[in-house]
Structures are given as C-alpha cells and as structure tokens.
C-alpha cells in the first residue's frame, strides 16, 4: 500500500503491530483519528503511555495494580485462606467477572513450556511457595486452586506445582473440566465428553 | 467489566472509542502492550500524536500530505488535465492502488447530506471550481471525473457539481456502474443489474 504521507504510514505501521490488526484496519483507525479533534488523539496517546510507564504489579499476587499491594490482596472482604493460581492477568478478570470466587489469586505469568524456553524459574512459582510458607504466621492459606489451561503445558505446570506443594501439606484442587453450561453433547469433543463421564459427580435433587 | 487498575481502565476506555473495537479487544491490546518493552508503546503513542498534530492537507486537492502541496499534485508524471473528484481520503488510496489512473484528485471531505446537516458549503466544492478557473492560465484542466458513492447523497453531490461546472464548459464524466468483475448475475441486486443493461457498452473483438 502506498501512503500519501509518511506520518500516516508511520502510524499505520505502529498500529498494525498490535495483534489482530492489519494494515487496512490500522488505516481506518488512523483516518478516524484524523477526523476527530486533537484532544481525542492526545488522550489516547497519553493513556497508552502512562499505562505502560506507571503500571505496577502487586508484590503479593503479581496481578496488575495501581498500588504496591492490589485491591484484591488488600480487600477486607476477601477470603485469605484460598489462593487461585492462574496463568495470566485476563484469567483473574474472567474469574472476577463470575462473582463466584472471593479468595485471592496468584498470577504465574505463563505456563511451563520447554518449546518456548519457559521453565519453572521464569514463572512466579517460588513466590507462591514463599507466600504459602509465610502465611503460616498471619492469615493461614489452606487451599490452592489450580485454574490453569487444559493444555499439555497447563497440565505440566499443575503437576509441577502440586509436587512442590506436597511438602507444605496443603489442600490442592483444580477447576472442574466438563461440558460447558448450554453445550450440546453431540458437538463436544471426545476428550472432554469422555473425561466428563469419568469424573461424574453425585446428582441429588434435595 | 471491573478492572484491577485505573490505568488499564483508562487505556481500555480510550482504545474502545475507536470504531470497531470493543472493550474486550481493547483489553487484549492493552495486555499485549504490557508484555512488550516500553519503547513499543512509546513509538505507538508518539506516532499517533505526531500524526494528529503535524498532518497537513494539500492546498490544491485537500488530500493528506506531509507538504503544502501533495506528491500527487506536484508529481511530474501526473496528467494535470484530469481531476478525479472523490468523497474522502481512502478513496484516493483505493484509486491509486489500481494503478490505472494518472490524473489529479480533488477530495471533497464528504457528500451533500441534508439529514446530517452537510451542505455544499461544508465541502470543498468552491475550491474545485476555483481550481478549474485558475487552471485556464497554466496546466489546463479538461475533464472532471466524478467518483462519488452510488448513494442518494453521492448522486445529489454529483448533480450539484455537474450543474456548477456547466458554466465552465468542461467535460464531466462519472465512473462506470455495473456488475463487478467476477460477480455473478444471479446474486447482483436488481438496480445494478437493471442499470448495467440500460448503460450497456459496445462489445467488439477486434
């Protein structure tokens, strides 16, 4: 594509480096910004810059935060005896949106993946162990929920963490896998369907 | 959606003001930027800001440009006797990409739309007339091609411009409407198909 202006070309190139945005979409966004008043672009530009430069990570759970300790870790209504271990920040948001969980989180920052060169030391696993050990004094952590992806990498990470936690004598659980609510048996993959039968739960209508 | 950080919330809100980008996509982009080094965000932020603040519009054709007179208007290989009138900047890019046109352009900045309160005075129509009048001395403009959208607003604008140009005794043409190349008759709308029969052209195999 030939651009009539270096400024446009530059902006299109920068925007199209974002995931899922091609040159055509980038150009559409650029032309949209050109039609708006200058402050619209200024606010967007500043929001991105201050996000990237001022963002902090919670020192306890490694979630993004505006403060040293995040709202969840310092929340007075949170159940401090449970930690839910997740791969990354969007997972925290997803679980928070369910409004079904009141415990704390621990963001690993990835999963073990030998192919991508990510070993246990690249993840916040040591920090999880330390957090549980330290908790013995004040708020005691009694359960760790592993909410990692149902992939080989996720399973490997779950296995690794479980083995590490064995010495600490703590309850370890994992989120349920099965047919999604509203999902039809007919269209569910065989692995999920097979496992959902093996891991069936008691059904009562009391 | 609840965000763990005001900075993230702010960035997501700003990004999701762009057309076609919702909160979920905006969050994905924000988390992507957080995983990159700081310069990636800085370059994006600066590119947007300098685009919006430093962009110029060509004084002749009103296309975007880095200089007072754009590359097309000042190009020595361009045919300065033809002007193609388009609604907006993307149309120039689209026609340039065909590599079938070597004349000049004139960007109206919209089409006449009483519903949206856009009259002829909001558009660069006077500037087109003046451009043609001025051309009588140096490079004479001999033809105006109307390449406006095939909508009621586009047709109104074409009609308005044609009437204005009548006094100047200049050739006025419009781009061909018809079945797109590769398009099937069966799936073409009746108006296009009907018009393509009425405006049929001579077919010769010489």
């Amino acid at each position: 594509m030939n651009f009539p202006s270096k400024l446009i070309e530059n902006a299109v190139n920068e925007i199209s480096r974002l995931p899922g945005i091609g040159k055509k979409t980038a150009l559409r966004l650029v032309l949209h910004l050109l039609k708006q008043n200058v402050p619209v672009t200024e606010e967007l530009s500043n929001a991105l810059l201050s996000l990237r430069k001022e963002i902090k990570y919670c020192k306890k759970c490694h979630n993004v935060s505006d403060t040293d300790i995040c709202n969840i870790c310092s929340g007075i209504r949170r159940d401090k005896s449970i930690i839910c271990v997740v791969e990354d920040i969007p997972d925290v948001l997803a679980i928070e949106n369910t409004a079904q969980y009141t415990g704390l989180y621990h963001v690993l920052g990835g999963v073990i993946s030998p192919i991508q060169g990510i070993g246990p030391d690249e993840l916040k696993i040591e920090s999880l162990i330390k957090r549980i050990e330290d908790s013995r004094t004040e708020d005691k952590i009694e359960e760790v929920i592993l909410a990692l992806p149902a992939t080989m990498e996720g399973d490997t990470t779950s296995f690794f963490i479980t083995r590490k936690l064995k010495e600490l004598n703590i309850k370890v659980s994992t989120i349920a896998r099965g047919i999604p609510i509203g999902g039809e048996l007919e269209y569910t993959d065989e692995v999920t369907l097979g496992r959902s039968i093996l891991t069936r739960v008691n059904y009562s209508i009391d």
Side-chain angles (χ1 to χ4, degrees), chain A:
Chain A
M1 226 189 277
N2 280 319
F3 295 101
S5 148
K6 276 272 163 224
L7 291 166
I8 289 195
E9 187 171 357
N10 197 17
V12 165
N13 285 341
E14 287 299 330
I15 296 178
S16 60
R17 284 167 73 179
L18 295 171
I21 297 191
K23 297 245 167 180
K24 278 221 165 175
T25 308
L27 180 63
R28 198 163 48 81
L29 298 180
V30 159
L31 294 170
H32 168 84
L33 285 177
L34 281 180
K35 286 216 162 187
Q36 310 297 310
N37 293 330
V38 175
V40 172
T41 309
E42 279 177 343
E43 279 158 25
L44 172 63
S45 173
N46 290 338
L48 292 176
L49 209 59
S50 59
L51 163 82
R52 189 63 192 85
K53 288 197 159 174
E54 291 163 27
I55 198 84
K56 285 180 182 169
Y57 292 90
C58 173
K59 285 188 176 161
K60 277 190 174 173
C61 71
H62 312 291
N63 190 12
V64 283
S65 169
D66 292 336
T67 44
D68 276 352
I69 303 295
C70 76
N71 288 339
I72 295 175
C73 284
S74 60
I76 45 165
R77 293 205 184 145
R78 308 295 303 209
D79 178 355
K80 296 196 170 54
S81 67
I82 309 183
I83 290 186
C84 178
V85 177
V86 293
E87 181 183 3
D88 226 328
I89 297 150
D91 305 327
V92 175
L93 287 172
I95 297 175
E96 280 298 286
N97 279 337
T98 67
Q100 298 291 322
Y101 178 69
T102 58
L104 305 180
Y105 293 93
H106 193 86
V107 179
L108 293 181
V111 283
I112 297 172
S113 168
I115 296 167
Q116 290 176 45
I118 304 174
D121 294 343
E122 270 78 43
L123 306 175
K124 304 289 186 192
I125 294 177
E126 264 317 307
S127 133
L128 173 67
I129 309 291
K130 199 168 173 302
R131 210 173 146 192
I132 296 166
E133 283 173 346
D134 288 355
S135 83
R136 298 186 170 240
T137 46
E138 18 157 352
D139 294 304
K140 186 148 165 46
I141 295 165
E142 281 159 4
E143 182 175 355
V144 169
I145 304 175
L146 299 170
L148 297 171
T151 59
M152 213 173 69
E153 289 81 8
D155 286 344
T156 307
T157 314
S158 291
F159 179 77
F160 184 89
I161 293 176
T162 311
R163 222 178 43 184
K164 280 261 176 188
L165 293 181
K166 219 163 195 177
E167 304 147 23
L168 295 174
N169 207 14
I170 196 166
K171 186 181 171 192
V172 179
S173 59
T174 179
I175 50 171
R177 312 283 180 196
I179 316 293
I181 313 292
E184 298 203 41
L185 292 199
E186 194 181 344
Y187 302 119
T188 308
D189 66 291
E190 299 85 13
V191 182
T192 303
L193 187 54
R195 251 222 251 179
S196 80
I197 292 171
L198 290 175
T199 61
R200 63 194 177 278
V201 294
N202 285 330
Y203 184 67
S204 69
I205 49 165
D206 301 339

